[in-house]
Amino acid sequence: MQPLISDKEQLRRLIVCELKAHDPVHENVLKHTFRVANLCRSFAEKVQLAQATVEKLEMACWLHDFGLKNCADSELINWVGELNPFQRQKLERHPLASAEIAYELLADSDISDWVLHHHCLRGRGVAGYPVDRCYELKTMPVPLQILICSDQFDSAFSGRCSDPKTAQAIAAEIEHLGAIR
């Protein structure tokens, strides 16, 4: 399969245009996306990943929540409190939707795999996200470890996570993961 997008800058512009075309809530997703990408780039360079891997990781970051635009409306993204089963199911579709979009755009199985598993850790989904196959820490690719840590860190400490217990749980997950050695 040939990628529809082969240039990193072209992908970045597409993400910006698509998310800004939605409502202001998706602009918050856009801001989160770029904060995660910046964190990932910093961590990846710190652990001296190959430049090509850093570039792929950055593209995975830009796409990791892109499926939210198809799965979740403004009300659901801004929801405060516990989700009902229907809302949770709707929100939990975004990793798969994001991974499908990533593969369709980039035709890169590493990127789509990292995007699919960005809520997945220790044989279960982080925050309850169900994924058929989660990596064990010892087999988890380092770029995915970096993506999970960066995404969880930004969610917990940028005001996106309104529940202090959830923020504490995320911090514990990051500490357990220990991705940045």
Side-chain angles (χ1 to χ4, degrees):
M1 179 176 175
Q2 290 293 321
L4 295 175
I5 293 180
S6 57
D7 176 75
K8 185 175 87 167
E9 184 58 26
Q10 191 181 26
L11 176 63
R12 189 191 65 75
R13 284 194 307 267
L14 171 76
I15 302 292
V16 169
C17 290
E18 277 294 310
L19 290 176
K20 280 190 171 183
H22 279 70
D23 52 57
V25 170
H26 286 89
E27 194 162 329
N28 290 334
V29 172
L30 180 64
K31 290 175 185 175
H32 164 72
T33 295
F34 281 93
R35 286 191 305 266
V36 170
N38 288 334
L39 283 168
C40 280
R41 178 171 276 289
S42 295
F43 292 146
E45 289 171 352
K46 187 172 183 78
V47 298
Q48 300 176 335
L49 290 183
Q51 187 59 36
T53 304
V54 175
E55 300 278 326
K56 286 172 62 164
L57 177 57
E58 192 169 19
M59 289 189 277
C61 292
W62 293 343
L63 290 164
H64 81 280
D65 280 344
F66 198 68
L68 281 171
K69 74 183 198 71
N70 298 332
C71 299
D73 54 28
S74 304
E75 183 180 317
L76 187 54
I77 291 174
N78 280 330
W79 191 264
V80 176
E82 195 150 334
L83 298 171
N84 68 41
F86 176 74
Q87 291 169 313
R88 177 162 292 286
Q89 181 183 39
K90 198 172 176 184
L91 189 61
E92 288 174 353
R93 288 187 204 135
H94 90 269
L96 178 59
S98 298
E100 289 171 346
I101 292 166
Y103 193 78
E104 188 174 316
L105 291 175
L106 303 171
D108 186 301
S109 59
D110 288 336
I111 293 172
S112 60
D113 187 63
W114 301 338
V115 169
L116 176 64
H117 292 93
H118 79 273
H119 283 290
C120 191
L121 179 61
R122 293 192 313 202
R124 63 177 175 79
V126 172
Y129 283 69
V131 174
D132 290 341
R133 175 182 63 91
C134 287
Y135 289 95
E136 292 297 325
L137 183 57
K138 62 184 174 226
T139 60
M140 185 182 291
V142 171
L144 176 57
Q145 293 178 36
I146 292 170
L147 175 55
I148 289 171
C149 282
S150 299
D151 182 45
Q152 295 298 307
F153 180 86
D154 185 70
S155 293
F157 301 106
S158 67
R160 290 183 76 226
C161 180
S162 60
D163 181 357
K165 288 182 189 173
T166 303
Q168 289 171 349
I170 289 170
E173 290 289 350
I174 292 170
E175 187 176 338
H176 175 77
L177 184 60
I180 311 307
R181 300 180 202 5

